[in-house]
DNA sequence: TAGATTGTTAATCGATTAACAATC
DNA sequence: TAGATTGTTAATCGATTAACAATC
């Protein structure tokens, strides 16, 4: 029984943007906002904004707009960031360490509960108050931690193995920083973050004849 | 005179993926590859692959496939990663430091030439062999460095100011890690990397009724 | 009530994929 | 030549945006 009519990924991404934007408005003690005002300030088309929300219900009042606090709460519910989400970081290199210490995540309800690594030197070290754990013990540890989201921050050569281990340990969603295509079971969601891809797009647009 | 018929962004992103994938094949001493083989190994539709390349010319031989070395070189040319691209990192916090030390970038032709920060304590420190420079001197420094790509790794509150400074210093492409919407002149390209967005999409898909 | 703004339908735009003639 | 695979056109799919009746 599936009543939500398949929400586009871009809509979910924008929802996260709205959430943050609403937090800013909230701190400025604004009460309501209209979709045209959203467009002015974020550049996201007003119809787009209304359409995005329409996948999940009715949130505004015709003639008035949207109550900021209410809307932010509803978006938090939709994205399941109204509760704390346990996240584990796999790989305690530069990137894994940076993520473990990134304050923005916890603020938004993503709670990094453990960091794992394979290196003898790193295991046991403290990283922003978290002890680095042996990745060989991921399964036992996650049995206790119950994290469903994992961040893969290991070298490309190790990424598939780590992903397999994560899936076997009950993880259902992966944020993958390794520049490699992961093979995972159908039920598992993967988001690839590729610095190389981003830079390549930028680099392409630097060329003279790529100008619009 | 614009002969390239507006290339979709997803095509450029996939081009970066092909580039890396071809590097792997190359190290395995494979000579040629067909689009169906690409589909099998990467999951990217064979027609998609051919279409992506078709924006830039003809690269394959009917009945044979694509020469791996040639194709990789051509893609490098298209993305301008055949030459070294100078990149500056703005912000020497956890994330900026991690990026400065990320080996994958240099391998792909992205050469981090300097790191800038505003903090007294950080200026002058060494980061993976690079001295952290005073961001107040960005303009003079980049006059010499001539970087056209900048990575913004500062807190959201500082991001717009840093972006303005970068643009005034000759930067034309921005990779923005700050969770904020940057206002920049039309000519400037921005790619936003939002960990929050990624995690929100994952988080949403953990819910039972989000299953396809 | 008149003015503003919503939620939604329909039109548009753009990207993906299937099909196939051309070609090695 | 027969078989394989390209490059490209046309069909499909999906996302964005404009338009507007409903409603505060």
């Amino acid at each position: 029984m599936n009543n939500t009519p398949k929400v586009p990924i871009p809509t979910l991404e924008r929802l996260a943007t709205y959430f943050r934007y609403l937090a800013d408005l909230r701190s400025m003690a604004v009460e309501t906002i209209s979709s045209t005002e959203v467009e002015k300030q974020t550049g996201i088309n007003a119809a787009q904004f209304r359409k995005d929300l329409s996948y999940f219900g009715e949130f505004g009042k015709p003639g008035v707009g949207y109550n900021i606090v209410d809307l932010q709460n509803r978006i938090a519910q939709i994205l399941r960031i109204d509760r704390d989400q346990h996240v584990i970081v796999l790989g305690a290199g530069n990137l894994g360490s940076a993520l473990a210490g990134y304050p923005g995540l916890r603020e938004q309800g993503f709670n990094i509960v453990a960091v794992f690594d394979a290196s003898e030197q790193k295991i046991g070290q403290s990283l922003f108050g978290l002890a680095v754990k042996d990745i060989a013990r991921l399964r036992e540890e996650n049995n206790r931690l119950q994290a469903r989201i994992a961040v893969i921050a290991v070298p490309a050569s190790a990424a598939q193995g780590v992903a397999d281990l994560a899936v076997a340990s009950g993880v259902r969603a992966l944020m993958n920083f390794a520049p490699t295509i992961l093979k995972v079971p159908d039920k598992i969601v993967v988001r690839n973050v590729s610095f190389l891809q981003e830079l390549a797009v930028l680099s392409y647009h630097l060329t003279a004849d790529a100008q619009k």
Side-chain angles (χ1 to χ4, degrees), chain A:
Chain A
M1 203 151 31
N2 183 355
N3 45 3
T4 350
K6 188 85 164 39
V7 182
I9 298 281
T11 289
L12 295 172
E13 293 175 353
R14 282 189 298 267
L15 241 38
T17 302
Y18 304 148
F19 179 82
R20 253 212 58 95
Y21 165 66
L22 291 167
D24 289 349
L25 291 179
R26 203 168 172 168
S27 73
M28 293 156 71
V30 190
E31 278 258 319
T32 57
I33 188 95
S34 70
S35 59
T36 38
E37 197 55 32
V38 170
E39 173 163 357
K40 254 181 230 149
Q41 293 183 41
T42 67
I44 298 172
N45 178 286
Q48 180 83 269
F49 175 76
R50 298 199 301 275
K51 177 90 193 183
D52 283 343
L53 295 176
S54 75
Y55 288 105
F56 305 99
E58 309 197 350
F59 300 80
K61 264 205 184 63
V64 180
Y66 301 83
N67 178 288
I68 284 165
V69 172
D70 285 356
L71 183 57
Q72 206 205 8
N73 290 339
R74 304 276 304 265
I75 292 177
Q77 277 169 31
I78 293 165
L79 297 177
R80 302 285 151 139
I81 52 181
D82 54 336
R83 66 213 68 186
D84 253 32
Q85 291 277 10
H86 287 194
V87 177
I88 53 179
V89 173
L90 309 179
N94 292 325
L95 189 60
S97 306
L99 288 167
Y102 188 59
L105 298 186
R106 171 164 277 119
E107 282 163 25
Q108 239 66 207
F110 293 104
N111 198 348
I112 295 176
V113 292
V115 180
F116 292 84
D117 203 290
S119 144
E120 286 281 341
Q121 288 122 47
K122 282 178 186 153
I123 296 168
Q125 273 193 3
S126 173
L127 222 52
F128 302 97
L130 290 171
V132 177
K133 298 188 156 101
D134 186 351
I135 200 160
R137 289 186 35 77
L138 178 58
R139 206 159 174 172
E140 298 91 297
E141 292 284 352
N142 202 42
N143 205 18
R144 186 169 57 77
L145 297 167
Q146 291 285 316
R148 293 289 163 261
I149 300 178
V151 175
I152 297 189
V154 301
S157 56
Q160 183 64 57
V162 163
D164 294 344
L165 196 54
V167 170
S169 307
V171 164
R172 283 165 52 201
L174 295 170
M175 183 171 173
N176 176 38
F177 284 91
T180 191
I181 296 158
L182 297 178
K183 301 222 156 65
V184 295
D186 277 356
K187 292 172 183 182
I188 308 296
V189 206
V190 179
R191 297 283 293 173
N192 293 298
V193 179
S194 168
F195 298 153
L196 241 41
Q197 260 183 25
E198 303 298 333
L199 286 169
V201 173
L202 291 179
S203 172
Y204 174 81
H205 282 104
L206 289 182
T207 72
D209 57 19
Q211 310 296 338
K212 197 170 5 179

